[in-house]
Amino acid sequence: RRAGGERRPVGLLTGLFFSVYFALRFLVEFTKEFQSLNPQHRPLTMGQYLSLPAFLFGVIVLVVVFRRRNEERQAAGSVTAE
């Protein structure tokens, strides 16, 4: 267990928030009108283009969190095996 009894990996909520919120925002943008970009030349709205980097940030945070968690578990397993 971590200090304070926290079992959730650090960064998990941040990664979930960014990935879920901006994925939903991306989908909602399909129902809105095009804004500031010419719809004949661009397949996505401005809101969708702006949601992509934040969504990718959330996915990257989740990948880092789970990789770190797996490394900690493997390290703890090798220490108890000795």
Side-chain angles (χ1 to χ4, degrees):
R1 279 188 158 204
R2 297 178 191 263
E6 187 69 38
R7 297 184 70 180
R8 186 174 41 235
V10 174
L12 179 66
L13 289 179
T14 302
L16 280 175
F17 171 77
F18 273 90
S19 59
V20 171
Y21 176 80
F22 286 101
L24 291 175
R25 180 177 167 175
F26 183 88
L27 294 174
V28 167
E29 288 289 328
F30 281 113
T31 64
K32 295 173 71 175
E33 293 184 26
F34 278 88
Q35 299 172 353
S36 75
L37 291 179
N38 189 348
Q40 288 125 4
H41 301 318
R42 307 275 184 194
L44 302 176
T45 65
M46 179 62 79
Q48 289 172 318
Y49 281 117
L50 294 174
S51 295
L52 288 174
F55 171 75
L56 292 175
F57 171 75
V59 170
I60 290 169
V61 169
L62 289 175
V63 168
V64 169
V65 164
F66 285 112
R67 280 188 183 173
R68 186 180 302 152
R69 186 176 186 186
N70 286 339
E71 290 172 0
E72 289 175 0
R73 284 184 176 176
Q74 289 176 354
S78 66
V79 169
T80 57
E82 292 178 356

